[in-house]
Each structure stands twice: as C-alpha cells, then as structure tokens.
Amino acid sequence: MTRAIAVQPYVIIERAITNQRQQITVHQHELYLFESKIVSRHREYSLYNVYDLSYKIISGDEGFLYLHTNQGVHSYMVKTDPSMFIEEFKFLRSLQ
C-alpha cells in the first residue's frame, strides 16, 4: 500500500446506558488521504466522488470535518484543526 499524503485523527463517541448509568466510550480513528482516495475506519471514498471538504468549529479546535460526496455529506468529529488535510485534498483535486 502506498504511503498516505495526509492523516487526520477523528473520534467516534459511543454512549450507552448500563446499570442505570450512562457510559461514554471514545473511539479514536484516522482518515487517510491518498492520491486517489480518502479512507476511514469504515469507508473508502474515491477522490473523484468527493467534491469538497469543509470544517465547522464547535469549540477551540474541536469540530466536524465534512466530506461532500456524490452520496451525500459524511461528517467526522475532529479534535485537531484539519486545515492541512483539507489543503492537501484541494491540491490533489486541482490536479485531476
């Protein structure tokens, strides 16, 4: 497998009620940007099918990274600024 051009950490927060208590589990994963695709833990997006990336800040550097694709918008909760990941994506899209 080729080396990723950029990597963006993201989290999935799982909430469950057990024994009348709320239990929160944070799962940490990474988005990988390759020359022809973006890969997450559960999905793979061809760059051809990703029209844009955007970022909405919630607080501090926490926010949502949105992948605008031919199959709708997919969101990823991030705890670090994804500006570099977005810039690399836009550069790759400009080459296509």
Side-chain angles (χ1 to χ4, degrees):
M1 184 170 207
T2 60
R3 196 173 133 219
I5 294 168
V7 178
Q8 177 61 49
Y10 70 95
V11 296
I12 296 173
I13 298 175
E14 181 182 349
R15 291 178 175 86
I17 305 293
T18 56
N19 298 327
Q20 299 180 355
R21 298 181 111 183
Q22 179 172 318
Q23 182 176 349
I24 298 173
T25 306
V26 178
H27 302 277
Q28 297 189 17
H29 303 289
E30 294 177 325
L31 282 173
Y32 297 94
L33 175 64
F34 295 98
E35 286 184 21
S36 62
K37 63 187 173 182
I38 295 175
V39 178
S40 74
R41 169 117 172 114
H42 300 290
R43 292 183 179 238
E44 187 172 303
Y45 309 90
S46 166
L47 280 193
Y48 179 78
N49 295 325
V50 179
Y51 305 132
D52 196 14
L53 297 182
S54 61
Y55 175 54
K56 172 87 170 153
I57 297 172
I58 297 173
S59 67
D61 281 336
E62 285 188 359
F64 286 97
L65 176 62
Y66 296 100
L67 278 70
H68 303 266
T69 74
N70 66 336
Q71 294 185 348
V73 178
H74 301 268
S75 62
Y76 293 89
M77 180 180 267
V78 296
K79 293 187 177 271
T80 58
D81 185 356
S83 297
M84 192 160 129
F85 191 87
I86 294 170
E87 287 176 26
E88 291 293 337
F89 163 78
K90 290 184 177 187
F91 176 74
L92 287 174
R93 282 292 291 174
S94 72
L95 299 177
Q96 294 182 345

